[in-house]
């Protein structure tokens, strides 16, 4: 049950923009659902998991969008 | 605010008064070539020998274990590479200074293994594994965490800690950087323990000390040694004061929402603390604090050309954006720290507000 119900396109955004977008938009998915963040900023690989830890959400893992850009999956827990 | 707002001593400590005094005297007396046999040369040689002696005494090492290099980076390169025979296996912590990583990358013959660190930035000494040489810093330059003492052949990069903390036991070779303890820039110290198999990795020179090359910077070597002696003599008092001031900053920062203080809270450099603010561009914090008279460093790279975050913060699993490193000078006062602690929440709140949060 890790298929994302929504995807944020953060391509081209420097840090910390992808994490800001994630924080602003996480409430758009229901508790238990997964939100995907597509970001080419190298810091996102560390900062999306760190955000999940600091905000008590679940970092599910990373895969790739169709164009090969990294995609980070976050499950809303609260 | 004047120099009181300078909170970046981990990048470079202001010159210690003891260094200034020693250097001014040596600039007039130590200009000649210490290898010549005439009177001015003997003066220069005497000053250089005194500097080596003072350095050895302050560090608790033998005089013949001390070499002066032209920088801490050179001491790291020379010191580490001189330990590595062709094809050697090298382990290093994932949070070593880039000088160590660049030195290892320069030698494609090596087998190199990076050791993971925990959330405080420390390696697990039980998980070091097989290697010929271990490269391990005494303390981390970005987050201050002190690394454990380990066995085997160890290269210890002590650039961040030399003078402030005693050398960690068990080094075969160690490196330090004078401008980090209040000596002049352009002086590094290379320590090669007696009995260590170490070979000069660079072209030889016919100078006073066969481990290094180039004309000796005699006045700067004396300044570096004088500063080190003074710092070691003062460190019980200075470290206790700085440790308490850093605790005060840690407490103030912990009161700012969505903030992470990184690095070991206790086993750390006394003068340094690092933290990261969610949703904040590290360079924006540096700029905003600079406008209020505070000079700090950031390990974030949000707008830097590389965009690559700090490999130290990344290895620790810490938040890499919104990072600020504060490092106190020996003169930083409680009032200056309080002023900084008062300014910081406003600065962070302002940047978050601009981001629409």
């Amino acid at each position: 049950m890790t298929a994302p119900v929504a995807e944020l396109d953060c391509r081209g955004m420097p840090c910390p923009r992808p994490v800001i977008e994630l924080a602003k938009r996480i409430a758009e998915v229901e508790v238990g659902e997964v939100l995907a963040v597509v970001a080419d900023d190298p810091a996102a690989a560390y900062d999306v998991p760190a955000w999940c830890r600091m905000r008590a959400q679940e970092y599910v893992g990373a895969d790739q969008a169709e164009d090969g850009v990294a995609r980070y999956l976050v499950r809303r827990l609260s | 605010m004047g120099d009181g707002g300078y909170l970046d001593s981990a990048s470079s400590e202001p010159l210690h008064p003891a260094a200034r005094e020693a250097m001014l005297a040596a600039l007039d007396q130590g200009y000649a070539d210490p290898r010549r046999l005439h009177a001015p040369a003997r003066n220069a040689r005497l000053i250089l020998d005194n500097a080596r002696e003072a350095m050895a005494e302050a560090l608790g090492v033998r005089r013949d274990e001390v070499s002066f290099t032209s920088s801490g980076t050179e001491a790291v390169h020379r010191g580490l590479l001189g330990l590595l025979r062709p094809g050697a296996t090298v382990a290093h912590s994932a949070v070593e200074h880039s000088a160590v990583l660049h030195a290892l990358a320069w030698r494609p013959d090596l087998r190199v293994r990076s050791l993971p660190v925990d959330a405080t930035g420390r390696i697990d000494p039980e998980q070091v594994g097989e290697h010929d040489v271990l490269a391990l810093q005494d303390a981390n330059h970005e987050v201050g965490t002190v690394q454990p003492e380990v066995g085997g052949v160890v290269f210890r990069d002590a650039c961040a800690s030399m003078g402030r903390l005693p050398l960690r036991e068990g080094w075969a070779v160690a490196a330090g950087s004078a401008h980090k303890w209040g000596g002049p820039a352009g002086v590094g110290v290379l320590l090669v323990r007696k009995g260590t198999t170490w070979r000069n990795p660079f072209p030889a020179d016919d100078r006073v000390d066969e481990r290094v090359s180039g004309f000796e910077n005699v006045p700067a070597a004396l300044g570096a040694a004088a500063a080190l002696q003074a710092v070691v003599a003062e460190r019980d008092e200075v470290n206790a004061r700085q440790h308490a001031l850093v605790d005060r900053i840690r407490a103030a920062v912990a009161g700012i929402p969505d903030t992470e203080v990184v690095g070991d809270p206790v086993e750390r450099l006394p003068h340094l603390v690092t933290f990261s603010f969610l949703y904040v561009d590290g360079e924006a914090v540096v700029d905003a604090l600079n406008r209020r008279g505070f000079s700090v460093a950031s390990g974030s790279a949000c707008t830097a050309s590389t965009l690559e975050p700090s490999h130290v913060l990344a290895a620790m699993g810490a938040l890499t954006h919104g990072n600020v490193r504060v490092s106190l000078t020996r003169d930083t006062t409680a009032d200056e720290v309080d002023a900084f602690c008062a300014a910081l929440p406003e600065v962070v709140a302002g940047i978050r507000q601009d981001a629409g949060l």
Side-chain angles (χ1 to χ4, degrees):
Chain A
M1 289 288 106
T2 56
V5 298
E7 191 171 286
L8 303 180
D9 180 8
C10 299
R11 290 176 184 85
M13 291 183 189
C15 74
R17 282 286 305 286
V19 172
I20 291 173
E21 292 302 312
L22 171 59
K24 284 179 174 171
R25 308 280 295 277
I26 188 73
E28 294 175 14
V29 305
E30 299 295 325
V31 170
E33 289 180 340
V34 172
L35 177 64
V37 182
V38 179
D40 44 18
D41 168 39
Y46 310 102
D47 289 353
V48 172
W51 180 87
C52 292
R53 176 169 49 74
M54 292 172 72
R55 299 297 306 171
Q57 306 296 332
E58 181 188 343
Y59 179 63
V60 178
D63 60 9
Q64 287 186 341
E66 280 178 10
D67 58 356
V69 172
R71 192 174 78 147
Y72 306 95
L73 305 176
V74 176
R75 188 189 313 277
R76 184 180 168 195
L77 296 183
S78 59
Chain B
M1 181 173 286
D3 287 351
Y6 182 75
L7 298 171
D8 195 15
S9 66
S11 293
S12 198
E13 173 86 23
L15 194 68
H16 195 289
R20 174 186 299 277
E21 199 179 321
M23 282 174 77
L24 285 175
L27 281 169
D28 289 329
Q29 296 296 318
Y31 57 87
D33 183 344
R35 282 180 63 252
R36 300 293 171 207
L37 298 175
H38 46 67
R42 287 180 188 195
N43 277 345
R45 180 61 189 261
L46 190 64
I47 294 170
L48 186 62
D49 289 347
N50 284 345
R52 197 185 313 280
E53 177 87 42
M55 191 77 77
E57 191 182 295
L59 293 171
V61 306
R62 295 168 54 107
R63 210 176 5 178
D64 58 3
E65 292 172 333
V66 176
S67 296
F68 292 106
T69 62
S70 63
S71 67
T73 301
E74 193 204 342
V76 166
H77 288 174
R78 218 169 251 285
L80 176 56
L81 293 170
L83 277 175
L84 303 174
R85 58 173 175 71
T89 300
V90 189
H92 66 85
S93 88
V95 295
E96 291 303 301
H97 191 276
S98 58
V100 168
L101 305 181
H102 286 308
L104 296 175
W106 190 66
R107 282 274 303 269
D109 59 297
L110 302 172
R111 281 173 295 173
V112 178
R113 196 155 41 85
S114 177
L115 303 172
V117 295
D118 65 16
T120 69
R122 186 174 287 115
I123 66 156
D124 179 351
E126 305 300 317
Q127 301 294 324
V128 170
E130 296 286 311
H131 57 267
D132 298 311
V133 173
L134 172 64
L136 185 62
Q137 58 198 184
D138 273 14
N140 184 266
H141 50 291
E142 285 187 37
V143 303
T145 299
V146 171
Q147 294 290 354
E149 291 174 346
V150 289
V153 180
V154 189
F155 168 79
R156 302 255 11 181
D157 169 11
C159 286
S161 60
M162 190 171 279
R164 302 175 188 279
L165 301 176
L167 291 168
R168 304 295 282 159
E169 296 287 338
W171 54 273
V173 174
S177 178
H179 73 100
K180 307 266 190 198
W181 70 65
V187 182
V189 56
L190 166 63
L191 304 177
V192 178
R193 175 152 282 173
K194 194 167 174 59
T196 298
T197 304
W198 182 91
R199 209 169 151 267
N200 186 347
F202 300 137
D205 199 359
D206 300 314
R207 299 299 313 171
V208 174
D209 178 347
E210 65 187 15
R211 293 198 190 106
V212 294
S213 65
F215 190 94
E216 299 79 6
N217 188 344
V218 172
L222 189 70
L228 187 71
Q229 278 195 317
V231 165
V232 168
E234 297 163 350
R235 77 176 161 207
D236 287 350
E237 183 268 322
V238 171
N239 287 6
R241 177 157 43 85
Q242 290 182 332
H243 215 280
L245 290 175
V246 162
D247 282 343
R248 198 185 288 212
I249 298 172
R250 292 180 76 98
V253 169
I256 301 174
D258 292 324
T259 300
E260 183 169 65
V261 184
V262 295
D264 194 294
V266 180
E267 292 297 312
R268 59 169 170 83
L269 291 171
H271 64 307
L272 184 159
V273 58
T274 296
F275 32 86
S276 295
F277 303 107
L278 261 181
Y279 316 130
V280 167
D281 172 353
E283 293 197 10
V285 187
V286 171
D287 285 346
L289 286 170
N290 184 51
R291 284 197 295 276
R292 292 171 180 241
F294 299 103
S295 315
V296 300
S298 174
S300 299
C302 297
T303 51
S305 54
T306 63
L307 296 176
E308 283 298 329
S310 151
H311 72 274
V312 172
L313 298 173
M316 295 168 64
L319 189 67
T320 73
H321 71 248
N323 179 257
V324 171
R325 182 187 71 185
V326 174
S327 49
L328 312 180
T329 73
R330 56 191 284 279
D331 295 323
T332 302
T333 65
D335 284 349
E336 288 156 3
V337 164
D338 287 344
F340 175 77
C341 290
L344 194 59
E346 296 171 13
V347 162
V348 172
I351 294 169
R352 284 178 172 163
Q353 197 169 9
D354 291 347
L357 288 159

